[in-house]
């Protein structure tokens, strides 16, 4: 075997053993695994990133009966109902999916529908024992570092302080609400007010805080993100209820887009990646910086593909109308098959986070791929691509 193949085999074995041990220990160690999956510090090989990626939202989860008990206990405490009138899960939610749509280090997330309004929501449920686990893990590491690596003690003590803010979902709901108001005020997120999305940003939000600029974002960034609305009256220490937004993880959306691009080039995904890696190696040897297409160039390319798609659909329609007895019916190609404008997505992500940090001073402090979604958007707002951004509540706002 070549040396690189030997390293890859070792990484695969070691990362699998490490993942099993992390899932056994849970607590802070899952957070550490998430850092490896996100390649914090650019320190982890691709094999480690892929192995640890399940920790971002696909950890082992608790049973529905345990989740019901946590939610009902917090609902009764939060709603301050009389002892003889215990609220049940069904009193608040007309539907509540038994299987979570995601599970990570401190809790899991379920889809549900509110009783009365029938609004789709997600319910984030915290594991009651997780705070004690985290505290114990960090304290253990601090004690060890005081003996062996004292230089790391201040950083770990700060990590302990910051992590402790994650264990009260009421604070997270307030952070989510604050970020949402900031994004609306800037025009980056539109909220429909009686059918007029601009009203909230340009009138109501100006009255909310006259010291901040309203709809200050450049036109190309207007309405590019969505931030789910928290239901403050249903949020408690261990339960966070927020608006459901339909989408997929950023990494998954980009993966599917790459697969479609490979097919358009008549290649398999593996062959396409191998070609790109070879070009990257050659560029590094030649000390050449490879540059991808700009957002404007991608717009032209997507428009060309869209024209081809429309022509193909027209031919399919004519065939289905006039030749249905002699030829098999042809399928139509939807806009979801068009490629993403990667350059524009990067521009928008950088602008959104830059605005949060430099203008609002209140920002997404945990932007790993599991906390950013690509949403299914309508044609009017999606423009040249089929998804919009969502900053999940899992991204802690930081003052």
């Amino acid at each position: 075997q070549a040396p690189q193949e030997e390293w890859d085999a070792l990484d695969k074995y070691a990362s699998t053993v490490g993942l099993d041990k992390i899932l056994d220990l849970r607590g802070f160690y899952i957070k550490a695994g998430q850092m490896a999956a996100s390649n914090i510090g650019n320190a982890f090989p691709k094999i480690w990133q892929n192995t640890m990626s399940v920790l971002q939202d696909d950890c082992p989860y608790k049973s529905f009966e345990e989740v019901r008990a946590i939610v009902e206990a917090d609902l009764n405490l939060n709603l301050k109902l009389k002892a003889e009138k215990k609220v049940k899960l069904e009193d608040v939610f007309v539907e509540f999916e038994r299987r979570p749509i995601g599970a990570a280090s401190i809790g899991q997330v379920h889809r549900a529908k509110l009783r009365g309004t029938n609004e789709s929501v997600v319910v984030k449920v915290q594991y009651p024992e997780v705070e004690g686990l985290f505290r114990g893990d960090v304290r253990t590491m601090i004690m060890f570092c005081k003996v062996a690596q004292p230089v790391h003690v201040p950083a770990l003590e700060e990590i302990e302080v910051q992590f402790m803010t994650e264990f009260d979902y009421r604070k997270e709901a307030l952070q989510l609400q604050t970020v949402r108001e900031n994004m609306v005020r800037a025009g980056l997120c539109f909220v429909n007010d009686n059918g007029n999305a601009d009203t909230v940003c340009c009138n109501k939000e100006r009255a909310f805080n006259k010291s901040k600029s309203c709809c200050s974002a450049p036109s190309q960034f207007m309405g590019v993100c969505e931030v789910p609305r928290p239901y403050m009256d249903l949020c408690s220490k261990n339960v966070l209820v927020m608006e459901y937004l339909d989408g997929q993880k950023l990494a998954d959306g980009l993966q599917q887009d790459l697969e479609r691009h490979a097919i358009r080039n008549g290649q398999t995904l593996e062959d396409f990646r191998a070609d790109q890696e070879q070009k990257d190696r050659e560029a590094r040897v030649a000390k050449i910086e490879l540059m991808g297409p700009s957002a404007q160039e991608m717009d032209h390319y997507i428009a060309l593909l869209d024209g081809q798609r429309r022509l193909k659909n027209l031919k399919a329609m004519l065939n289905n109308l006039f030749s249905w007895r002699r030829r098999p019916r042809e399928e139509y190609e939807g806009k979801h098959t068009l490629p993403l404008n990667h350059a524009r997505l990067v521009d928008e992500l950088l602008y959104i986070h830059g605005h949060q940090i430099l203008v609002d001073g209140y920002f997404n402090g945990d932007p790993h791929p599991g906390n950013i979604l690509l949403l299914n958007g309508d044609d009017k707002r999606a423009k040249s691509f089929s998804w919009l951004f969502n900053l999940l509540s899992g991204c802690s706002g930081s003052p």
Side-chain angles (χ1 to χ4, degrees), residues 195-371:
N196 185 356
D198 294 334
T199 302
V200 174
C201 174
C202 298
N203 295 322
K204 184 178 178 181
E205 286 298 323
R206 185 184 297 276
F208 174 77
N209 190 341
K210 294 182 180 180
S211 65
K212 299 270 183 128
S213 58
C214 184
C215 291
S216 59
S219 58
Q220 69 266 32
F221 297 122
M222 285 288 184
V224 296
C225 76
E226 296 283 348
V227 182
R229 174 170 64 95
Y231 292 78
M232 301 300 295
D233 58 326
L234 297 176
C235 294
S236 59
K237 185 180 186 301
N238 297 308
V239 177
L240 173 62
V241 181
M242 59 183 166
E243 175 187 7
Y244 173 76
L245 298 175
D246 184 30
Q248 59 185 158
K249 287 196 301 183
L250 175 63
D252 292 343
L254 295 177
Q255 169 81 3
Q256 291 179 12
D257 187 61
L258 189 62
E259 291 174 354
R260 288 192 294 266
H261 183 73
I263 292 172
R264 281 192 294 269
N265 287 352
Q267 295 178 290
T268 65
L269 179 60
E270 291 73 21
D271 290 341
F272 177 77
R273 279 180 167 164
D275 287 348
Q276 293 302 308
E277 290 171 359
Q278 179 63 30
K279 291 178 181 178
D280 289 341
R281 285 192 292 269
E282 293 173 355
R284 284 195 296 270
V285 171
K287 297 182 179 180
I288 299 173
E289 184 178 0
L290 296 178
M291 298 291 292
S294 67
Q296 291 75 21
E297 290 170 337
M298 278 300 299
D299 279 341
H300 294 315
Y301 174 62
I302 293 169
L304 174 63
L305 292 181
D306 191 34
Q308 296 173 349
R309 180 190 68 86
R310 291 172 184 268
L311 181 60
K312 181 180 177 181
N313 285 347
L314 177 61
K315 291 179 179 178
M317 182 185 69
L318 294 175
N319 172 76
N320 295 339
L321 284 175
F322 302 111
S323 305
W324 61 273
R325 289 186 176 180
R326 296 187 297 274
R327 297 180 184 175
R329 179 178 176 82
E330 294 185 19
E331 297 296 326
Y332 299 111
E333 189 175 306
K335 291 197 72 172
H336 67 278
T337 61
L338 296 176
L340 290 168
N341 190 329
H342 290 214
R344 193 174 302 284
L345 293 177
V346 171
D347 289 344
E348 289 167 352
L349 270 177
L350 288 174
Y351 188 90
I352 290 168
H353 287 85
H355 188 281
Q356 290 178 350
I357 294 170
L358 301 175
V359 178
D360 298 327
Y362 207 93
F363 55 90
N364 175 356
D366 190 18
H368 69 70
N371 278 343

Side-chain angles (χ1 to χ4, degrees), residues 21-66:
K21 182 57 66 176
I22 285 172
L23 292 175
D24 183 39
L25 295 171
R26 301 186 67 84
F28 177 81
Y29 298 97
I30 290 181
K31 274 289 184 185
Q34 289 175 343
M35 295 176 189
S38 299
N39 196 22
I40 299 297
N42 198 30
F44 297 92
K46 191 67 177 178
I47 291 174
W48 280 80
Q49 297 174 44
N50 293 338
T51 302
M52 298 297 170
S53 64
V54 298
L55 299 174
Q56 292 176 335
D57 65 357
D58 196 21
C59 294
Y61 53 87
K62 288 187 178 294
S63 69
F64 176 70
E65 287 70 26
E66 292 176 281

Side-chain angles (χ1 to χ4, degrees), residues 93-105:
F93 304 102
V94 66
E95 292 181 15
F96 196 103
E97 293 185 0
R98 299 177 69 90
R99 186 182 180 90
I101 58 176
S105 56

Side-chain angles (χ1 to χ4, degrees), residues 57-96:
D57 65 357
D58 196 21
C59 294
Y61 53 87
K62 288 187 178 294
S63 69
F64 176 70
E65 287 70 26
E66 292 176 281
V67 168
R68 172 192 282 274
I70 297 169
V71 174
E72 290 183 349
D74 269 43
L75 283 174
N76 279 283
L77 186 63
N78 190 46
L79 297 177
K80 297 179 181 178
L81 296 174
K82 294 181 180 180
E84 65 270 14
K85 190 183 178 183
K86 292 289 185 181
V87 67
K88 292 185 177 180
L89 194 72
E90 292 78 10
D91 295 330
V92 178
F93 304 102
V94 66
E95 292 181 15
F96 196 103

